[in-house]
Amino acid sequence: MSGVGKAPEVTGKPTLKGYLYVLSSILLVTLAQLGMKWGVIQLPVWQADLAVMLAHPLPLLVILAGVGCYALSLLCWLATLHSTPLNIAYPLLSTSYALVYLLAVSIPSFAESLEPGKAVGVIFILLGAVLVGIKPASKQGAS
């Protein structure tokens, strides 16, 4: 039998494979965001005009590569959902927002500014992902 209709393998605890899938999804969606941002800022004006885009093939290719990264990220995310509990995987996915922001302020061509309020928000996102991933202390000896 092909496995259709089988119960999912999510056991309540994530596997190394699940973490690798979610990490791949995070990295691919981050690359997608940064690539598409770079591509659109290289165009003279943003318009959904194919003639303008075709006149600038490199930015168009980078934008399309970003869309491709999104598609691959989706495949990794689906694999993540198959092997990792959603209450662990989804908060980890939020780290992509922090990663995109940190990289965008670090790459000069994006001209993004590091703002204290946004930096605090990034810290909260990362702290939240860590807190979700912490295993609760077992209550051994409790009656």
Side-chain angles (χ1 to χ4, degrees), residues 46-97:
W46 171 249
Q47 23 179 304
D49 182 354
L50 190 59
V52 170
M53 289 189 218
L54 290 176
H56 301 85
L58 182 59
L60 178 60
L61 288 173
V62 173
I63 292 168
L64 292 175
V67 172
C69 285
Y70 260 129
L72 291 173
S73 175
L74 174 63
L75 293 176
C76 290
W77 182 244
L78 293 174
T80 298
L81 294 176
H82 185 68
S83 60
T84 307
L86 189 59
N87 65 349
I88 293 174
Y90 200 68
L92 291 175
L93 187 63
S94 71
T95 60
S96 68
Y97 298 108

Side-chain angles (χ1 to χ4, degrees), residues 1-19:
M1 188 166 238
S2 68
V4 175
K6 284 186 172 181
E9 295 178 22
V10 177
T11 61
K13 49 186 173 177
T15 63
L16 178 59
K17 188 188 322 185
Y19 279 123

